Amino acid sequence: PFTRILVQWVTTGELSDPYGEFFVRAAGTDRLWSQQFRVVQDMIPAHYSRDQTRRIYQVGRSLAFLRGACGDAEWVATQVAQPQPADTADARRLEAFIRRTAATVNARLMHVLRSTFGLTRHVSAIRRLLLFQQGDFALSLADVLDTHVARGQRQIMAHDLSAALDSAVRSSSAQNEPPEHLAALVLAFDGAESWDDVTLRYTLARPLAQVIEPGHLQRYAAVSRFLLRLKRIDGQLTALWAQHMAAERLRRRAADLARRTNSSASSSLPAEEPAEVQRSVRAAAILVSEMVQFFHQVQRFIALNVVEGAWAEFCAREQAAGDLDAWSEAHDAFVASVHRLTSGAGFQRSLAPIVDTAFQFVGVVRELHSLRALAERSHASMPALAEQAKRVQVVAARFREQVQALVRALSMNAGNDYQMLAVSIDFNCAYTAASA
């Protein structure tokens, strides 16, 4: 009976074991690959090695997955070889038959998943779109979200989210992605229903949803949310720098025009503007470029050291994977590496308040420029302008203190990647010298 059950399992992927004599049992879940079957250790024959047990378990699962999830029951019924009577009578010949069957079935399963359902292509799309390795899509999405945040829309409907995502796709090279990849992208709320709390997610249908665990997709979404905040603050700082430079050019042109029309006019800043305001404006311009350099280094570290490094290792292991378990192990390692290096060692927790401070800095500097322009138009001094200049200085000091703490933490971390990030952030020792 044991041999009959074994042969049926390795040739059809079906279990016919009414008395519980076989070491593979049905688990009764809808996770067809990872949890549909389990191995009962106490029922494994003593003369079976670990490799034999794994191979038998693997080939039956693969056949069951081909039939139940991939819709390939016809191939299983017509192309899987059946053992000869001599094969079942001799243990060595039966083992050789199982080896040949396992090689054929595993090759078929990987071919179906890769070619028919695009397993690896979907993971590559997740890397480009969710992990923002396709940079123009990330910038386009950040711009769209910032536009909606500026409008201050109170009630956000589902079609607003889909329209925002569609706008980001159409204005970037992501529009050239295959339709099935774009259909898998979803912009959803992550907590409060506001444009500041949206997350880009990737949805998969069967059978891929059975292969890539929901926990992995959640980790991808968490990393994507973190990267999206970095892209948004990077874009806002760049826009703030452009706003500052444009405002300074206009002020100088106005001063030159006043000097030409009135010989007594000065080409310097208006006399009624407090010196503290002038210092704050100059300090804000310097800090904007400092923040841009900081966030560029962080994003470069994540894109090259984290994502691309892990992706290169995944591609090497994925191409060598001969069965779905090996492929899943390679994918598990990729997800774990990306999530660990972006969220581990307190890196994301340490970076989150710096990002918050940068968003606050953008707000107070924009308000400073607005008050400054209003004071120039009214030709009157404004006490609120000096108060806003003090707020800029407070936020700037907080940012530098937070970056100093981050550099110290990264420098003391055991990981070489984090130490190199600390060096690239503090390349001129500005933060370490200031904290000494």
Side-chain angles (χ1 to χ4, degrees):
F2 182 88
T3 302
R4 178 185 56 78
I5 298 171
L6 172 62
V7 170
Q8 184 180 19
W9 171 250
V10 299
T11 56
T12 66
E14 296 178 351
L15 273 178
S16 180
D17 183 22
Y19 302 108
E21 301 172 274
F22 198 50
F23 59 85
V24 177
R25 302 280 173 82
T29 68
D30 59 352
R31 301 297 302 172
L32 296 184
W33 178 250
S34 60
Q35 300 174 6
Q36 187 182 18
F37 301 100
R38 60 186 178 88
V39 174
V40 181
Q41 298 293 330
D42 295 341
M43 298 298 295
I44 300 175
H47 62 281
Y48 274 23
S49 66
R50 178 176 296 180
D51 287 342
Q52 284 178 297
T53 303
R54 177 187 175 278
R55 188 176 301 111
I56 293 170
Y57 177 59
Q58 171 88 20
V59 67
R61 289 168 69 207
S62 298
L63 287 167
F65 196 71
L66 281 168
R67 288 188 300 104
C70 300
D72 208 20
E74 182 179 354
W75 183 91
V76 173
T78 59
Q79 300 299 319
V80 178
Q82 299 296 318
Q84 301 297 321
D87 294 331
T88 59
D90 182 78
R92 291 185 177 179
R93 294 189 61 171
L94 181 60
E95 171 62 18
F97 169 77
I98 294 174
R99 284 178 179 272
R100 293 193 302 270
T101 303
T104 302
V105 171
N106 288 331
R108 175 66 180 183
L109 177 58
M110 295 308 299
H111 172 75
V112 169
L113 289 175
R114 284 169 171 156
S115 301
T116 305
F117 295 102
L119 175 60
T120 305
R121 294 195 300 270
H122 274 283
V123 178
S124 180
I126 290 174
R127 164 184 158 270
R128 293 192 304 274
L129 301 177
L130 239 66
L131 301 184
F132 297 130
Q133 294 303 95
Q134 192 161 311
D136 64 332
F137 171 67
L139 294 176
S140 178
L141 181 60
D143 288 342
V144 170
L145 293 180
D146 287 339
T147 301
H148 283 285
V149 169
R151 291 175 183 172
Q153 185 178 357
R154 293 184 178 180
Q155 187 176 9
I156 306 173
M157 309 299 290
H159 67 269
D160 295 323
L161 295 174
S162 59
L165 179 58
D166 184 66
S167 176
V169 169
R170 290 179 180 275
S171 58
S172 68
S173 60
Q175 61 184 311
N176 300 319
E177 288 284 333
E180 61 268 22
H181 296 169
L182 297 179
L185 281 178
V186 177
L187 199 62
F189 292 118
D190 186 28
E193 293 187 0
S194 71
W195 289 108
D196 285 319
D197 291 296
V198 294
T199 301
L200 195 62
R201 301 184 184 276
Y202 201 89
T203 59
L204 292 171
R206 290 181 57 172
L208 301 186
Q210 306 284 349
V211 176
I212 299 179
E213 297 289 333
H216 289 339
L217 295 178
Q218 292 174 4
R219 284 189 167 190
Y220 279 133
V223 174
S224 179
R225 175 175 170 79
F226 172 58
L227 297 179
L228 183 57
R229 280 182 60 80
L230 293 179
K231 291 293 183 183
R232 287 185 60 196
I233 189 58
D234 186 16
Q236 290 189 24
L237 287 169
T238 303
L240 183 62
W241 171 258
Q243 177 187 352
H244 169 78
M245 296 302 294
E248 288 303 308
R249 283 195 295 268
L250 288 175
R251 287 173 59 80
R252 291 184 181 182
R253 289 175 183 173
D256 288 340
L257 180 61
R259 179 169 53 85
R260 291 172 184 175
T261 56
N262 187 351
S263 59
S264 62
S266 172
S267 61
S268 61
L269 292 172
E272 65 271 17
E273 186 173 60
E276 184 179 6
V277 174
Q278 299 178 31
R279 288 194 300 269
S280 295
V281 171
R282 287 194 294 269
I286 294 172
L287 188 58
V288 167
S289 61
E290 188 177 320
M291 286 183 171
V292 168
Q293 190 273 339
F294 170 80
F295 286 111
H296 280 183
Q297 292 300 329
V298 171
Q299 291 178 89
R300 180 207 57 79
F301 164 76
I302 294 174
L304 299 181
N305 294 53
V306 178
V307 177
E308 287 304 310
W311 179 254
E313 183 178 350
F314 167 74
C315 288
R317 294 182 61 180
E318 187 274 335
Q319 292 173 1
D323 56 57
L324 189 51
D325 275 342
W327 189 96
S328 296
E329 290 174 2
H331 182 249
D332 291 347
F334 171 69
V335 175
S337 180
V338 171
H339 192 263
R340 182 181 69 254
L341 288 174
T342 55
S343 303
F347 178 63
Q348 188 170 340
R349 289 196 306 273
S350 300
L351 199 59
I354 299 178
V355 177
D356 292 338
T357 300
F359 275 114
Q360 185 180 2
F361 174 79
V362 170
V364 295
V365 173
R366 283 176 176 170
E367 182 65 20
L368 176 65
H369 284 303
S370 298
L371 292 173
R372 197 181 184 205
L374 181 61
E376 290 176 356
R377 288 195 300 269
S378 62
H379 301 286
S381 61
M382 296 180 61
L385 185 58
E387 291 297 324
Q388 191 67 18
K390 293 179 181 178
R391 294 190 188 98
V392 171
Q393 295 172 5
V394 170
V395 177
R398 187 193 312 149
F399 172 80
R400 290 195 170 99
E401 290 174 0
Q402 291 171 337
V403 175
Q404 288 169 10
L406 177 65
V407 169
R408 286 195 300 269
L410 295 175
S411 301
M412 293 185 291
N413 192 278
N416 292 331
D417 289 330
Y418 290 121
Q419 293 179 5
M420 288 303 299
L421 175 59
V423 171
S424 62
I425 292 174
D426 195 31
F427 67 96
N428 58 354
C429 299
Y431 296 109
T432 52
S435 61

